[in-house]
Amino acid sequence: MKRRTVLAVPLALPLAGPLATALAGTAAAAPAGTAGTAAAGKVRELLAALTLDEKISLLHQWQPAIPRLGMKAFRTGTEALHGLAWLGPATVFPQAVGLAATWDPALIREVGAAVGDEVRGLQHERPAGWGLNVWAPVVNLLRDPRWGRNEEGYSEDPYLTGVISTAYAGGLTGGDPDNLKTAPLVKHYLANNNEVRRDQTSSDLRPRVLKEYEEPAYRAAISADAACGVMTAYNLVNGRPCTVTDLNSSVRTWTDRTLLNVTDAWAPNNLPAGGSQKYFDTLAEADAAILKAGVDSFTTDDTDGGPTAAAVKEALAQGLLTEADVDTAVRHILDIRARLGDFTADGGPYGHLDRSVIDSPAHRKLARRTAAEAVVLLKNDRGALPLDARALRTAAVVGPLADTLYTDWYSGSLPYAITPLKGITDRLGAGAEVTTSEGVDRIALRNAATGRYVTAGTGDGGAALAEGATAAGETEQFDVFGWGEGIVTLRAVANGKVVGMRDPDGDGPEGYRFFNDQDQPNGWFVSQLFRPEEQDDGTVVLRYAGYENWLGDAVYLRARDGDGGLVLGTAADASRYTVETLRDGVEEAVTAARAADVAIVVVGSMPFINARETDDREDMGLAATQSALVRAVLAANPRTVVVVENSYPTTLTWEQEHVPALVWTTHAGQETGRALADVLFGDVNPAGRLTQTWYRSAADLPSILEYDNIKYERTYQYFTGDVLYPFGHGLSYTTFRYGRPRLLRGAVAVAVTNTGRRAGAEVVQLYTRQRSSRVKQPVKKLQAFAKVSLRPGETRTVTLPLARGSLAHWDVTRERWVVERSTYDVLVGASSGDIRARAELAVDGETVPPRDLRRTTRAENFDDYAGVRLIDESKPRGTAVGAESAGAWLLFADADLRRGARRLAARVAKESPGGGTVEVRLDTPDGRLAGTAAVSSTGSRYAYEEVTAVLRGAAGRRDVYLVPSEGVRIADFSLR
């Protein structure tokens, strides 16, 4: 049944639900108190005392000590994405996408507080690479599941991302903006969601996508004073590098607090002529633009601040900067340092924290709880889960991830590792037998020409691989792990270490050697990857498939003359190997599974291989070897549970159809195994929910470089196809019934009842859908959610905020927010695809009037388009539209031309030689031609001139199309 309510008055936003939880303890926009006043006074004192050279030295990431003023060295940029990273063993929580899968802002605030404590724990030692300005959380929206850094973000939805990031950042700060535990910043601003050519691609953000989708994710934690700044991204947005995108007119307007904004690593060096972006001629021009754009700290040249200082001084000498510009940035830096207690003897309220908080018993307990809450039950056919530990006599735990835990680039070092095998074995205890197999082949590689085997070293350090032995002993055996797309890793049986490449001799391909000395694939350039290529004679050659791109054609393994050492060569030189399979991994896993009461198959990704920073995914499925393992085990034992442990949506189409129970977890840190056991055996009722749409195929997605979610129908908001798992999906071991929603003033109330036999938590999700609008609206839009725990038979009324303002969209015709007069469906349910109850809300809002094109209209404020790109109108600011090809057009819908528009006036530029045109057409892109303006080359993309055309027949309410010829850039226009 539907309930209809008329809403004719503004609704206030009640501070309730997840937003209130995320903000709990965070003094949003609070006036500075005594501590804030003291900090401000210290900043003024120091700024007045610093020399110009000293001030310039503070602009670099590694700020030197200034002893005469009692200032210690300071560094921006401790990594704290899901735990303290890169500084030794520390508590490792689930990856960020797993944190968000809890849909539990109160819990995530606890996690942030724990990570903040551990960052503070090193303050008395201050090791290299440590600092209290932490680079977290990542709020880039997960609009495309192929993004290499999917593991670092929270969700494809801006509201959910805002709630979780505010909670995490609020925990990191400690909740008092005047007395910061740490100073987190959000990254990477803006629209950075592809790794392919990430420093050269431009993300086109039409105003609606910018205002409705991208900005809210960054704004949430900033406006709540839970984050202290942003890191700018590597990419360009609308043709302008994010490093010089104006933060003063956007980010800094979201709060009254001082922000410390930083560049991404080495990004300043991309800007000048010698860099990848070539946006300015010199580094001095680039650094001046960076400061004027509202960035305060340069992350570049590692620890060397010299190049930055020299460039800033040159910019001052050329008049590109004034000392006041430097003072502004330094003031921001000093303000954050003062609020961190950096200028006080005791370090402020958190000065007492020391190393003892790192990996504390409380943090271990929190890590286990968080990892368990992050688990998502994807499928559970006929009660396959939970498992009954008392009834199990045997269990097989198999798969390449069954007895290992992987970390990612931004993980800390695991203080200990509870693998799925260990967690399940410990949970079952001595009363059950647990068998295991990684399900991977064990092989030996015999040179087909010489008969000699590839041999590895023993001991932790291993040795350089060489061909030597004539028989396959233990040192000649390797376990082969398949990761998809033909990529494998080799683990030496001799010492259990992974084979990787390094260059100990430093003399080119002959110097690159392969050693079995790595615990797991790792490194900025992942060097442990190989691609076996089968030859016509049945032998294989081993192609080195690491991330390095400077090796040219010498990417095949060959045995060096003389000592047989494996080095690199061309395909013609490659050694040919006969692969001798000493153990069939699938057969071994099947044997274990067939004899067990239950088979648990643990498959998934390796975070340094399948996708990560600098590397987007191309294949969204399981690796072929892993899929084959799942199918074989299921055929051997119908009581099979599959655990998928990875960092992103996966096309589990076959598995969803055939496997009785599917469980997903991200790489969840040191307590992964116990958390999985807690869920599999029902000690914890799963309550994790997906934060992204899981598609059935990559064919459902446009190019990863298309950022217009509206036009290309990305995410649950606009996608209309059939999905594998909808946004918000996740099952429970109990069931829930929803009552009829009641529309209150500023809220929606719904009764939720646990109708099952187990206690459990339901994530109650509130969506809206606008039925009629001037523009294309989302299919659904998440407005609020609440995670509620209920005993069997218990009913609770859940109240979810629904503000009038949350129904608004960005009106491009008047460049402001608007709530339209319309009927809105109010949808309450367990996911975006599982709506349990609904009501109707009639809103007495505005009717957007017809466009008045007599006013000067920005070209970017179109309603639809083809064949164009959004581009930089000038280097400092502004967006124009450029025609990329013939057939380009811009639609300005429902324009009231009254009795007739007689003249087009447009500001245009054309860098390329030769002339062009801008046509005005009516009703369709090839409709009636009302007029044509001639465009001459202006010689520069930034040199605009006005062109005009006489119009005929342009009267009444019409859809107006501007049709520019290739190479023409339009900034704005009017029809009068």
Side-chain angles (χ1 to χ4, degrees):
M1 295 182 64
K2 299 179 181 178
R3 182 178 178 186
R4 181 175 175 84
T5 297
V6 176
L7 178 65
V9 295
L11 292 178
L13 174 61
L15 194 60
L19 184 59
T21 305
L23 292 174
T26 301
T34 304
T37 302
K42 186 64 175 177
V43 170
R44 287 193 296 270
E45 173 191 326
L46 289 173
L47 194 60
L50 288 163
T51 68
L52 178 58
D53 282 350
E54 288 170 339
K55 285 185 284 191
I56 292 172
S57 74
L58 299 179
L59 299 178
H60 191 262
Q61 178 188 19
W62 293 79
Q63 301 173 28
I66 304 177
R68 72 181 187 85
L69 297 177
M71 294 175 62
K72 303 173 184 177
F74 185 86
R75 177 184 184 269
T76 64
T78 295
E79 299 294 351
L81 182 61
H82 54 109
L84 173 63
W86 302 2
L87 295 169
T91 308
V92 178
F93 293 95
Q95 291 175 306
V97 70
L99 295 179
T102 67
W103 290 62
D104 190 339
L107 173 62
I108 301 311
R109 186 179 178 84
E110 289 185 53
V111 173
V115 175
D117 284 350
E118 296 201 8
V119 172
R120 274 278 178 175
L122 297 175
Q123 64 187 325
H124 303 293
E125 303 168 34
R126 299 174 74 94
W130 171 88
L132 291 175
N133 170 230
V134 294
W135 287 355
V138 170
V139 300
N140 296 93
L141 291 161
L142 307 183
R143 57 164 197 115
D144 193 307
R146 297 168 295 188
W147 184 37
R149 304 182 76 169
N150 196 86
E151 66 198 26
E152 298 181 39
Y154 292 132
S155 173
E156 69 182 33
D157 181 74
Y159 174 76
L160 178 58
T161 294
V163 169
I164 299 298
S165 61
T166 299
Y168 189 69
L172 286 167
T173 65
D176 179 358
D178 290 327
N179 293 284
L180 299 170
K181 182 190 296 185
T182 68
L185 56 78
V186 294
K187 60 181 189 177
H188 312 80
Y189 187 84
L190 174 73
N192 176 200
N193 197 218
N194 62 274
E195 296 304 292
V196 56
R197 304 189 311 279
R198 61 178 179 168
D199 58 334
Q200 298 172 57
T201 58
S202 180
S203 306
D204 282 15
L205 297 185
R206 61 197 283 191
R208 281 194 65 200
V209 176
L210 173 66
K211 297 292 186 180
E212 298 173 27
Y213 188 71
E214 285 287 344
E215 280 192 348
Y218 299 87
R219 184 170 188 158
I222 296 289
S223 62
D225 291 332
C228 301
V230 302
M231 171 189 282
T232 55
Y234 286 119
N235 58 291
L236 300 86
V237 167
N238 297 347
R240 181 178 297 104
C242 288
T243 311
V244 290
T245 292
D246 184 17
L247 304 180
N248 297 312
S249 62
S250 56
V251 174
R252 291 195 187 276
T253 68
W254 299 341
T255 178
D256 292 332
R257 294 275 177 182
T258 296
L259 300 177
L260 167 58
N261 299 323
V262 309
T263 74
D264 208 337
W266 292 86
N269 290 350
N270 293 336
L271 292 168
S276 59
Q277 293 171 339
K278 298 176 173 51
Y279 201 68
F280 298 98
D281 291 334
T282 67
L283 186 60
E285 292 176 85
D287 284 6
I290 290 169
L291 286 175
K292 285 185 172 294
V295 177
D296 309 302
S297 180
F298 294 78
T299 312
T300 189
D301 302 306
D302 293 328
T303 62
D304 183 7
T308 295
V312 171
K313 290 177 182 178
E314 179 63 23
L316 287 166
Q318 293 181 18
L320 302 173
L321 287 174
T322 67
E323 187 169 354
D325 295 320
V326 175
D327 286 352
T328 297
V330 172
R331 185 181 298 109
H332 298 156
I333 294 165
L334 295 176
D335 182 274
I336 296 297
R337 290 181 61 172
R339 288 154 60 193
L340 284 165
D342 196 48
F343 304 136
T344 62
D346 62 0
Y350 303 102
H352 65 283
L353 294 175
D354 59 26
R355 181 178 280 276
S356 64
V357 301
I358 298 176
D359 188 36
S360 67
H363 291 179
R364 292 184 174 193
K365 184 177 179 181
L366 181 62
R368 178 175 180 174
R369 176 186 162 203
T370 307
E373 283 207 38
V375 171
V376 180
L377 181 60
L378 298 173
K379 179 186 178 182
N380 193 22
D381 192 20
R382 299 181 183 179
L385 291 175
L387 302 173
D388 186 350
R390 295 168 298 180
L392 288 180
R393 292 170 299 171
T394 58
V397 183
V398 301
L401 278 75
D403 196 26
T404 190
L405 295 184
Y406 287 127
T407 56
D408 59 54
W409 180 252
Y410 290 103
S411 288
S413 302
L414 295 172
Y416 58 91
I418 307 300
T419 67
L421 175 63
K422 179 168 177 52
I424 292 167
T425 301
D426 289 351
R427 176 62 179 81
L428 287 172
E433 178 187 0
V434 179
T435 57
T436 189
S437 165
E438 291 176 303
V440 301
D441 289 348
R442 179 164 291 176
I443 67 167
L445 294 167
R446 179 177 177 271
N447 190 308
T450 67
R452 297 189 178 275
Y453 288 84
V454 175
T455 300
T458 57
D460 283 347
L465 270 59
E467 294 178 4
T470 56
E474 187 174 87
T475 54
E476 286 70 49
Q477 299 179 28
F478 300 88
D479 294 330
V480 184
F481 291 79
W483 300 110
E485 300 182 58
I487 298 295
V488 304
T489 53
L490 302 175
R491 187 182 65 196
V493 173
N495 64 353
K497 296 297 183 73
V498 177
V499 174
M501 184 189 77
R502 49 191 172 91
D503 182 18
D505 301 331
D507 56 357
E510 283 286 334
Y512 290 117
R513 302 294 303 277
F514 295 87
F515 293 77
N516 58 311
D517 61 354
Q518 300 296 307
D519 291 328
Q520 70 169 48
N522 63 85
W524 182 255
F525 297 106
V526 182
S527 67
Q528 296 85 16
L529 312 182
F530 302 91
R531 181 179 285 112
E533 295 179 355
E534 189 169 347
Q535 306 300 295
D536 292 340
D537 61 0
T539 63
V540 299
V541 296
L542 290 178
R543 183 185 182 96
Y544 172 67
Y547 285 7
E548 290 84 345
N549 58 6
W550 57 80
L551 299 176
D553 295 330
V555 291
Y556 287 88
L557 273 65
R558 68 177 182 87
R560 187 162 59 186
D561 294 339
D563 62 0
L566 294 190
V567 295
L568 290 174
T570 64
D573 299 328
S575 296
R576 296 194 174 203
Y577 294 102
T578 300
V579 179
E580 298 180 2
T581 302
L582 309 176
R583 182 192 68 195
D584 186 311
V586 171
E587 182 179 317
E588 182 184 67
V590 164
T591 299
R594 185 178 289 119
D597 294 331
V598 65
I600 301 169
V601 188
V602 189
V603 293
S605 70
M606 199 286 132
F608 279 82
I609 296 175
N610 293 103
R612 54 154 287 181
E613 186 169 0
T614 74
D615 186 40
D616 295 316
R617 277 195 303 164
E618 295 180 10
D619 186 347
M620 292 173 60
L622 288 177
T625 52
Q626 296 184 17
S627 182
L629 174 66
V630 169
R631 295 177 190 224
V633 170
L634 179 61
N637 188 338
R639 290 199 65 195
T640 291
V641 176
V642 173
V643 175
V644 179
E645 186 179 335
N646 64 18
S647 312
Y648 36 69
T650 306
T651 50
L652 302 173
T653 308
W654 186 93
E655 291 78 9
Q656 169 63 24
E657 183 177 350
H658 295 92
V659 176
L662 286 170
V663 170
W664 176 80
T665 177
T666 189
H667 296 280
Q670 64 212 50
E671 288 285 348
T672 297
R674 288 195 185 104
L676 276 173
D678 288 342
V679 170
L680 294 176
F681 292 100
D683 302 320
V684 170
N685 194 339
R689 301 292 185 264
L690 299 179
T691 67
Q692 295 174 263
T693 302
W694 284 40
Y695 299 94
R696 291 187 174 275
S697 168
D700 291 330
L701 295 165
S703 164
I704 196 173
L705 299 177
E706 298 289 1
Y707 277 75
D708 188 344
N709 290 357
I710 300 173
K711 187 176 183 68
Y712 293 98
E713 299 186 341
R714 285 187 181 276
T715 81
Y716 81 95
Q717 289 191 353
Y718 290 98
F719 186 69
T720 57
D722 183 30
V723 303
L724 182 63
Y725 304 117
F727 171 81
H729 172 75
L731 304 178
S732 171
Y733 295 151
T734 190
T735 54
F736 300 93
R737 183 180 67 242
Y738 285 66
R740 180 184 299 174
R742 292 183 293 116
L743 301 179
L744 310 174
R745 181 178 175 85
V748 176
V750 62
V752 181
T753 303
N754 183 342
T755 55
R757 297 180 178 180
R758 291 176 175 267
E762 173 73 324
V763 179
V764 183
Q765 301 165 41
L766 172 64
Y767 298 87
T768 60
R769 176 172 55 217
Q770 184 175 339
R771 291 189 185 176
S772 60
S773 175
R774 180 191 175 277
V775 296
K776 185 176 182 179
Q777 290 288 348
V779 176
K780 293 185 185 76
K781 180 183 177 185
L782 180 69
Q783 299 287 6
F785 64 90
K787 193 169 192 176
V788 55
S789 296
L790 298 172
R791 300 183 303 275
E794 182 182 3
T795 298
R796 186 175 302 174
T797 297
V798 179
T799 301
L800 300 164
L802 180 61
R804 181 185 178 94
S806 67
L807 303 176
H809 73 270
W810 186 255
D811 176 20
V812 294
T813 72
R814 297 172 295 175
E815 296 185 301
R816 66 175 177 83
W817 292 100
V818 61
V819 176
E820 287 183 291
R821 182 189 183 100
S822 182
T823 297
Y824 295 76
D825 291 320
V826 177
L827 311 170
V828 182
S831 78
S832 64
D834 184 9
I835 300 302
R836 305 289 184 85
R838 62 187 65 216
E840 292 181 358
L841 181 63
V843 176
D844 188 15
E846 295 183 62
T847 297
V848 178
R851 280 186 181 269
D852 183 358
L853 296 182
R854 294 176 302 172
R855 303 172 182 169
T856 298
T857 298
R858 300 289 305 173
E860 65 179 313
N861 286 325
F862 49 71
D863 290 293
D864 199 3
Y865 61 95
V868 301
R869 295 296 306 270
L870 292 167
I871 50 182
D872 50 337
E873 180 182 357
S874 69
K875 289 186 177 181
R877 61 189 55 84
T879 296
V881 180
E884 292 286 294
S885 61
W889 52 261
L890 300 173
L891 165 63
F892 299 87
D894 189 26
D896 188 355
L897 303 178
R898 294 176 172 80
R899 294 183 178 180
R902 300 179 181 278
R903 179 176 180 269
L904 162 72
R907 278 199 314 122
V908 302
K910 188 173 188 293
E911 183 176 30
S912 56
T917 58
V918 176
E919 296 178 346
V920 177
R921 291 187 177 268
L922 303 178
D923 302 327
T924 64
D926 57 356
R928 186 180 183 282
L929 179 64
T932 302
V935 178
S936 301
S937 173
T938 62
S940 167
R941 66 185 62 188
Y942 303 121
Y944 286 83
E945 64 181 18
E946 185 178 276
V947 298
T948 63
V950 175
L951 302 179
R952 293 180 176 85
R957 288 181 66 166
R958 311 290 288 269
D959 288 345
V960 173
Y961 287 81
L962 294 189
V963 182
S965 59
E966 185 175 355
V968 172
R969 299 161 65 105
I970 308 175
D972 53 51
F973 73 99
S974 63
L975 304 182
R976 296 175 183 167

PDB file of all heavy atoms in Angstrom, residues 27 250 641 874:
ATOM      1  N   ALA A  27      32.718  18.806  17.135  1.00  0.00           N
ATOM      2  CA  ALA A  27      32.142  20.142  17.291  1.00  0.00           C
ATOM      3  C   ALA A  27      32.076  20.824  15.940  1.00  0.00           C
ATOM      4  O   ALA A  27      32.944  21.591  15.557  1.00  0.00           O
ATOM      5  CB  ALA A  27      32.972  20.964  18.268  1.00  0.00           C
ATOM      6  N   SER A 250      35.753  26.942  -3.418  1.00  0.00           N
ATOM      7  CA  SER A 250      34.984  25.717  -3.188  1.00  0.00           C
ATOM      8  C   SER A 250      35.267  25.180  -1.793  1.00  0.00           C
ATOM      9  O   SER A 250      34.552  25.483  -0.843  1.00  0.00           O
ATOM     10  CB  SER A 250      35.320  24.670  -4.258  1.00  0.00           C
ATOM     11  OG  SER A 250      36.723  24.409  -4.304  1.00  0.00           O
ATOM     12  N   VAL A 641      30.763 -23.863   0.582  1.00  0.00           N
ATOM     13  CA  VAL A 641      30.642 -22.430   0.856  1.00  0.00           C
ATOM     14  C   VAL A 641      31.827 -21.745   0.197  1.00  0.00           C
ATOM     15  O   VAL A 641      32.967 -22.189   0.365  1.00  0.00           O
ATOM     16  CB  VAL A 641      30.648 -22.146   2.375  1.00  0.00           C
ATOM     17  CG1 VAL A 641      30.631 -20.641   2.640  1.00  0.00           C
ATOM     18  CG2 VAL A 641      29.472 -22.841   3.046  1.00  0.00           C
ATOM     19  N   SER A 874      40.126  29.423 -18.788  1.00  0.00           N
ATOM     20  CA  SER A 874      41.428  30.039 -18.583  1.00  0.00           C
ATOM     21  C   SER A 874      42.178  29.162 -17.597  1.00  0.00           C
ATOM     22  O   SER A 874      41.598  28.260 -16.990  1.00  0.00           O
ATOM     23  CB  SER A 874      41.290  31.463 -18.025  1.00  0.00           C
ATOM     24  OG  SER A 874      40.796  31.433 -16.696  1.00  0.00           O
TER      25      SER A 874
END
